[in-house]
């Protein structure tokens, strides 16, 4: 069962920008895990395989920033310290019940007066949101069975909600292609990334999806460069609408829609445990 949890945080001292990188937030997450299960924390730290969680960059503004027609660009880098007392939020998604179950004690016994450390700064976790909120679209939870059952298997010109898949890439997104990265969100890059994670964690395997029936119909993206002292990451931000076209079996339509809805939890592409590849589906009102 995937969970998308939003942790509301309050720093007690300024957080310098060099401690707001994906690497430091990844370390903070492992500290949270190790506080309830040190063995699991060590295993996640040592693992090089695709991991059952994703993280967002630390956000200091409202959940939705201006940027793109959906207004869903997130802040992924900081040039200035975050001042003490600034309310922040941080999204953690967990892709399997084992990991969520291990962390249950952390959520249930949350002590709002216990400080957690991000570099030299102390942070308090003031609350955790795990269900949809009107102003916080990144909080949610669903079983894999629900994601699949609620995905539409109908696709026709009169029901654009089902035939169009509008994905917003809210933090820089890139895909591995051989030995190098590519920033182009082709149907193969996006949906094969979703398919791989779905098959690994859902228990509802899709042996093959009708990827040849997915066509991009609207593209509004640009590249962003995220650089620190160790590396440089180039990815795209923006929106792409994919349409399902042609004679497609209902079960294949259902699978494609389920994968698109799963994007909220899994992200796409590289470095999703470092805040990159945050993606979700936007539905028209």
């Amino acid at each position: 069962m995937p969970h998308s949890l939003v942790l509301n945080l309050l720093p007690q001292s300024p957080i310098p920008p060099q401690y707001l990188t994906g690497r430091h937030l990844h370390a903070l997450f492992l500290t949270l895990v190790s506080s309830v299960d040190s063995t699991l924390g060590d295993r996640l730290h040592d693992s090089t395989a695709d991991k059952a969680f994703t993280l967002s960059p630390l956000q200091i503004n409202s959940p939705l920033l201006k940027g793109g027609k959906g207004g869903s660009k997130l802040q992924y880098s900081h040039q200035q310290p975050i001042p003490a007392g600034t309310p922040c939020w941080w999204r953690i998604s967990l892709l399997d019940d084992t990991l969520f179950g291990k962390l249950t004690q952390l959520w249930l016994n949350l002590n709002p007066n216990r400080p957690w450390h991000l570099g030299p700064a102390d942070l308090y976790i003031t609350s955790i949101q795990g269900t949809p909120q009107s102003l916080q679209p990144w909080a949610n939870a669903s079983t894999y069975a629900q994601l699949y059952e609620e995905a539409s298997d109908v696709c026709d010109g009169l029901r654009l909600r089902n035939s169009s898949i509008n994905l917003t890439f809210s933090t820089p997104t890139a895909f591995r292609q051989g030995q190098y990265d590519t920033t182009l969100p082709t149907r193969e890059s996006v949906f094969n990334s979703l398919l791989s994670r779905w098959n690994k964690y859902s228990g509802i395997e899709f042996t093959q999806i009708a990827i040849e029936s997915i066509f991009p119909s609207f593209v509004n993206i640009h590249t962003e460069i995220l650089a620190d002292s160790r590396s440089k990451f180039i990815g795209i931000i923006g929106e792409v609408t994919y349409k399902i076209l042609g004679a497609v079996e209902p079960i294949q339509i259902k699978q494609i829609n389920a994968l698109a809805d799963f994007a909220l939890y899994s992200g796409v592409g590289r470095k999703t445990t470092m805040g990159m590849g945050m993606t979700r589906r936007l539905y028209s009102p």
Side-chain angles (χ1 to χ4, degrees):
M1 177 174 179
H3 295 263
S4 184
L5 305 170
V6 171
L7 280 63
N8 294 303
L9 310 171
L10 195 65
Q12 300 304 295
S13 55
I15 310 173
Q18 64 266 34
Y19 292 100
L20 291 165
T21 65
R23 181 166 52 88
H24 287 92
L25 290 166
H26 186 274
L28 175 59
F29 174 72
L30 295 182
T31 299
L32 293 175
V33 175
S34 295
S35 72
V36 291
D37 190 327
S38 59
T39 301
L40 178 60
D42 291 341
R43 189 165 74 245
L44 289 175
H45 179 271
D46 295 336
S47 174
T48 57
D50 187 39
K51 298 176 181 178
F53 67 91
T54 79
L55 304 174
S56 79
L58 199 62
Q59 303 297 304
I60 60 173
N61 294 324
S62 63
L64 298 184
L65 297 178
K66 292 181 179 179
K69 68 177 184 180
S72 53
K73 177 181 177 181
L74 296 179
Q75 189 166 2
Y76 63 86
S77 67
H78 298 265
Q79 305 304 317
Q80 301 295 327
I82 294 180
T86 303
C88 304
W89 62 271
W90 182 37
R91 198 288 291 267
I92 296 173
S93 76
L94 306 172
L95 302 182
D96 69 6
D97 282 331
T98 301
L99 186 54
F100 180 80
K102 292 285 188 180
L103 295 176
T104 297
Q105 290 306 310
L106 177 65
W107 318 132
L108 292 180
N109 299 315
L110 183 65
N111 181 355
N113 296 315
R114 174 181 177 173
W116 300 91
H117 307 293
L118 186 58
D122 287 344
L123 298 172
Y124 288 151
I125 303 175
T126 57
S127 64
I128 297 177
Q129 297 168 280
T131 55
Q133 313 286 326
S134 59
L135 295 178
Q136 182 45 274
W138 292 99
N140 213 331
S142 175
T143 66
Y144 284 101
Q146 281 178 312
L147 281 174
Y148 182 68
E149 289 303 321
E150 293 174 2
S152 174
D153 62 1
V154 177
C155 181
D156 60 60
L158 299 178
R159 301 183 65 177
L160 296 178
R161 177 183 174 92
N162 306 319
S163 62
S164 293
I165 295 172
N166 184 12
L167 295 182
T168 178
F169 302 93
S170 298
T171 60
T173 303
F175 307 89
R176 201 64 168 175
Q177 195 170 75
Q179 297 181 355
Y180 305 102
D181 284 357
T182 177
T183 58
L184 199 61
T186 64
R187 61 188 183 183
E188 290 83 5
S189 294
V190 172
F191 286 90
N192 281 336
S193 177
L194 291 167
L195 178 64
S196 174
R197 291 170 192 174
W198 174 275
N199 282 345
K200 182 170 183 177
Y201 299 111
S202 72
I204 309 171
E205 184 174 359
F206 300 160
T207 55
Q208 186 176 359
I209 60 170
I211 207 162
E212 71 283 352
S213 300
I214 303 172
F215 295 87
S217 61
F218 171 85
V219 178
N220 181 19
I221 60 174
H222 65 275
T223 54
E224 298 270 354
I225 300 176
L226 184 64
D228 59 29
S229 59
R230 292 190 174 191
S231 62
K232 181 170 70 173
F233 183 86
I234 303 174
I236 60 102
I237 282 181
E239 293 183 27
V240 179
T241 298
Y242 303 87
K243 284 190 178 294
I244 304 173
L245 301 175
V248 189
E249 294 292 329
I251 189 172
Q252 294 176 317
I253 298 171
K254 192 175 189 69
Q255 290 173 345
I256 293 169
N257 276 303
L259 292 178
D261 293 335
F262 177 54
L264 169 71
Y265 304 97
S266 70
V268 297
R270 298 193 61 224
K271 295 194 174 185
T272 53
T273 62
M274 300 283 185
M276 301 299 100
M278 286 186 70
T279 306
R280 64 187 179 92
R281 184 177 190 173
L282 299 179
Y283 281 108
S284 300

